[in-house]
């Protein structure tokens, strides 16, 4: 029997993800004040296991989502990519994943 081809997802976990947390980056961290980062639970998500890395932009000082962080006990990369496709409209993106 042939091995199934490796699935390619539109949104991928960043290389700095951990075994516990998968991170999908929406904006370049360098455009944010270094001392402004914090994490909060995503209250807009119907599913548990999603948190947002927030930061304050250097150019206009607005607070925005920098990355979406997924609890890997609840989301594998496929489920995270699916979630992103359904929820990306909620976030500003500096560089979104391109298909």
């Amino acid at each position: 029997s042939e091995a199934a081809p490796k699935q390619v997802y539109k949104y991928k976990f960043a290389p700095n993800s951990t075994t516990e947390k998968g991170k999908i980056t929406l904006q370049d961290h360098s455009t944010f004040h270094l001392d402004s980062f914090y994490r909060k639970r995503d209250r807009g998500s119907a599913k548990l296991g999603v948190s947002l890395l927030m930061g304050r932009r250097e150019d206009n000082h607005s607070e925005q989502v920098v990355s979406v962080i997924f609890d890997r006990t609840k989301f594998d990369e496929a489920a995270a990519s699916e979630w992103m496709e359904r929820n990306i409209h909620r976030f500003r993106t500096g560089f979104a994943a391109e298909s």
Side-chain angles (χ1 to χ4, degrees):
S1 68
E2 288 183 36
K6 187 170 179 346
Q7 181 67 43
V8 178
Y9 306 111
K10 182 172 181 180
Y11 296 96
K12 297 176 183 59
F13 287 151
N16 64 346
S17 295
T18 65
T19 51
E20 294 88 29
K21 304 285 181 198
K23 184 165 83 172
I24 295 178
T25 303
L26 300 179
Q27 300 194 65
D28 184 351
H29 289 71
S30 69
T31 60
F32 288 81
H33 287 283
L34 263 175
D35 64 351
S36 72
F37 294 111
Y38 70 95
R39 232 170 42 198
K40 71 176 188 178
R41 194 167 88 71
D42 179 20
R43 302 207 183 279
S45 175
K47 289 191 76 168
L48 291 175
V50 180
S51 56
L52 306 173
L53 179 66
M54 304 295 296
R56 196 173 62 258
R57 290 187 62 90
E58 288 185 347
D59 55 2
N60 63 10
H61 304 289
S62 66
E63 191 172 89
Q64 295 179 12
V65 176
V66 182
S67 299
V68 181
I69 302 166
F70 295 90
D71 178 338
R72 288 182 112 161
T73 65
K74 296 177 173 57
F75 288 87
D76 60 12
E77 196 169 49
S81 184
E82 238 174 70
W83 187 95
M84 288 298 298
E85 297 229 17
R86 286 194 311 275
N87 288 275
I88 191 66
H89 67 277
R90 297 172 41 216
F91 308 112
R92 284 199 177 157
T93 55
F95 52 89
E98 302 297 334
S99 49

